[in-house]
Amino acid sequence: MNVKCISPIDESIYAQRETLSQTAADAAVGRAKSAQTVWASRPLSERIALVQAGVAAVGAMNDAIVPELAWQMGRPIRYGGEFGGFHERASYMADIATDALADIIVEDSNAFRRVIKRVPHGVVLVVAPWNYPYMTAINTLAPALIAGNSVLLKHSSQTLLVGERIASAFHGVGIPEDVFQNVFLDHATTSSLIAGRAFGFVNFTGSVTGGKAMEAAASGTFTGLGLELGGKDPGYVMEDANLDAAVDTLIDGAMFNSGQCCCGIERIYVHDSLYETFVAKAVTIVNSYKLGNPLEQDTTLGPMAHIRFADEVRAQTAEALADGATAHIDPALFPQDGGAYLMPQILTDVTHDMRVMREESFGPIVGIMPVKDDAEAIRLMNDSDFGLTASLWTRDPQRAEAIADQLDTGTVFMNRADYLDPGLCWTGCKDTGRGGGLSQIGYHNLTRPKSYHLKKV
């Protein structure tokens, strides 16, 4: 079976690869298991150094990677790719590894040695998405390898070349080929491997439907799962907020990468006193965007990764307008709209009865609602099946933290949005999934505790 990357630029086949047969996939897992024990026996300092060298080698490829990303998933070249975040996350995890993986010594006396060690799971499967294909992959890849696991990376068909780039870089600096393997797998083979206990841990970033498929495959195996699934992240602008900063950040968080961000802003609640001004400023910002070919330097908004993603946003928009929503962006400003190229949109007069305010859009659209107070904003922010991030805008940190304590979400931001801090656990609740990546907790999920109770004689 072939998997194909259909470029959103012109709908051509940009890349295609043959998937592994079940026999070949089993063999890849077997090699990974054999190589893992040798890899884990190497000093932690060596594993850290090799991963850091591999990350640097990816950076050396960035000039080639940036246009590849534009062809594969549509991000404009003007933004320069993902190496900044890729490097930041890997470097932080390398820096904390010694402490995060340190033994917990309970007793080391003449009578007993009692210690808890963190040991690798064995083989880790990383299933990575197309929207930020390098940064999402490295979230698990770097700490998994540093902790002594071997890794199989299965990337999205929309970003087929990403895993090959990472593999070339990592193998080139000396990480053994069987320790890190980039693999092309169809869904049936992936499910079969998980059901057959091929992996000690599986990390999946993608849709809720995909997460359910992972859970179904792992059912009864007790395989550890990390799942980062959908989001419908809210922003709340309070009456004392820095209005200009709030508008700039929240609208960028809603529209950047054509809205295709896991923690992008998909709904905004603004205090009554600022609402009309906020909307007017937001419209001005969006009207300035240039939708077009992502290979052109002046393009600020590229196509969505696939026509079907754009069509889903069009459907949500049309339904909302039919139900009374108001659109603020004039289609005449975006004549390129069509196919995977989707014009941005701001909607008001929206309600939570509309799909555009409840279901993940994952596109350049945002609904804005006025609220009278914190209680109403909290109720609306929590009125969602998802819980990844929320963004609060106020000059009062105590007020923000008190509100944050009442929100059902994985991360709460104050006066910023759409950012992944590697020092904090990246996690979610409800249909957003379970588990946690990065930070020290990321290492805890990629290892298991092992206790040693040694009586001395």
Side-chain angles (χ1 to χ4, degrees):
M1 173 184 172
N2 272 345
V3 288
K4 298 177 181 178
C5 168
I6 307 298
S7 175
I9 291 179
D10 59 6
E11 299 180 40
S12 64
I13 298 175
Y14 183 66
Q16 56 184 320
R17 297 291 186 269
E18 184 76 20
T19 58
L20 296 180
S21 67
Q22 183 70 56
T23 300
D26 290 338
V29 170
R31 294 193 302 274
K33 288 181 177 179
S34 296
Q36 185 270 326
T37 55
V38 177
W39 174 250
S41 70
R42 296 176 72 160
L44 175 59
S45 59
E46 287 186 15
R47 300 197 301 267
I48 292 172
L50 284 168
V51 169
Q52 289 177 314
V55 168
V58 171
M61 301 175 178
N62 200 54
D63 287 346
I65 284 172
V66 169
E68 281 181 358
L69 286 176
W71 277 105
Q72 290 174 93
M73 50 73 65
R75 186 182 305 124
I77 60 171
R78 69 181 290 139
Y79 298 118
E82 300 176 24
F83 185 67
F86 182 87
H87 181 266
E88 177 189 26
R89 298 173 189 187
S91 296
Y92 183 86
M93 295 308 286
D95 289 344
I96 68 168
T98 300
D99 289 339
L101 296 170
D103 296 347
I104 301 171
I105 299 175
V106 177
E107 179 184 359
D108 197 359
S109 67
N110 291 332
F112 291 97
R113 173 169 166 79
R114 295 184 295 143
V115 62
I116 303 168
K117 298 184 179 183
R118 302 216 65 91
V119 299
H121 288 300
V123 182
V124 171
L125 173 66
V126 178
V127 183
W130 50 264
N131 63 321
Y132 283 93
Y134 284 91
M135 290 196 291
T136 53
I138 203 65
N139 290 350
T140 306
L141 174 56
L145 289 173
I146 288 171
N149 299 284
S150 57
V151 175
L152 266 62
L153 172 63
K154 175 191 180 298
H155 227 299
S156 166
S157 61
Q158 197 64 46
T159 42
L160 287 177
L161 304 187
V162 172
E164 291 181 340
R165 283 284 185 187
I166 298 174
S168 174
F170 280 30
H171 297 159
V173 301
I175 295 175
E177 293 185 7
D178 291 338
V179 167
F180 172 54
Q181 300 178 57
N182 176 60
V183 294
F184 302 103
L185 301 172
D186 60 30
H187 294 324
T189 304
T190 303
S191 294
S192 175
L193 290 172
I194 295 171
R197 302 186 187 221
F199 309 109
F201 188 82
V202 176
N203 192 88
F204 172 81
T205 305
S207 68
V208 174
T209 300
K212 290 179 178 179
M214 291 287 167
E215 285 200 324
S219 178
T221 68
F222 307 113
T223 300
L225 294 177
L227 304 172
E228 187 207 321
L229 310 176
K232 195 71 181 175
D233 293 5
Y236 170 36
V237 182
M238 299 170 222
E239 72 282 355
D240 68 336
N242 180 328
L243 183 60
D244 287 336
V247 175
D248 288 346
T249 303
L250 290 174
I251 293 303
D252 181 67
M255 302 294 171
F256 186 77
N257 204 38
S258 297
Q260 299 168 131
C261 302
C262 299
C263 55
I265 297 296
E266 296 214 357
R267 48 199 175 106
I268 301 174
Y269 308 100
V270 183
H271 189 271
D272 285 330
S273 62
L274 301 179
Y275 175 73
E276 290 186 3
T277 305
F278 184 99
V279 172
K281 288 177 176 288
V283 170
T284 298
I285 292 171
V286 174
N287 283 342
S288 71
Y289 291 162
K290 184 180 186 303
L291 174 66
N293 189 323
L295 297 171
E296 296 175 1
Q297 193 64 39
D298 61 344
T299 294
T300 57
L301 201 68
M304 295 190 70
H306 198 282
I307 290 175
R308 71 178 184 274
F309 305 148
D311 285 345
E312 169 60 18
V313 180
R314 291 186 178 105
Q316 290 186 14
T317 304
E319 291 171 18
L321 294 176
D323 289 339
T326 300
H328 289 264
I329 306 302
D330 185 352
L333 296 174
F334 297 92
Q336 303 90 342
D337 184 81
Y341 291 84
L342 179 66
M343 65 169 283
Q345 190 54 268
I346 291 173
L347 298 177
T348 59
D349 300 314
V350 289
T351 73
H352 278 215
D353 293 325
M354 300 173 181
R355 284 205 303 140
V356 76
M357 293 298 283
R358 299 201 64 85
E359 297 183 12
E360 187 171 40
S361 301
F362 220 60
I365 185 170
V366 66
I368 308 177
M369 294 176 64
V371 293
K372 64 181 182 298
D373 55 26
D374 292 349
E376 183 180 15
I378 292 166
R379 178 180 63 80
L380 289 169
M381 284 190 282
N382 281 338
D383 183 27
S384 175
D385 291 334
F386 300 102
L388 184 56
T389 78
S391 177
L392 306 178
W393 289 81
T394 176
R395 300 175 192 271
D396 185 343
Q398 291 181 327
R399 179 183 179 187
E401 190 161 348
I403 292 172
D405 287 342
Q406 300 173 67
L407 297 179
D408 300 326
T409 191
T411 295
V412 181
F413 298 107
M414 172 182 160
N415 298 334
R416 74 177 313 173
D418 193 23
Y419 172 70
L420 194 159
D421 181 347
L424 297 175
C425 181
W426 191 243
T427 185
C429 60
K430 300 190 280 192
D431 281 359
T432 290
R434 60 187 173 92
L438 298 175
S439 75
Q440 289 200 19
I441 292 173
Y443 277 114
H444 294 175
N445 286 330
L446 290 165
T447 56
R448 65 177 180 86
K450 184 176 181 179
S451 294
Y452 293 73
H453 193 138
L454 310 177
K455 181 178 181 181
K456 299 179 181 179
V457 293

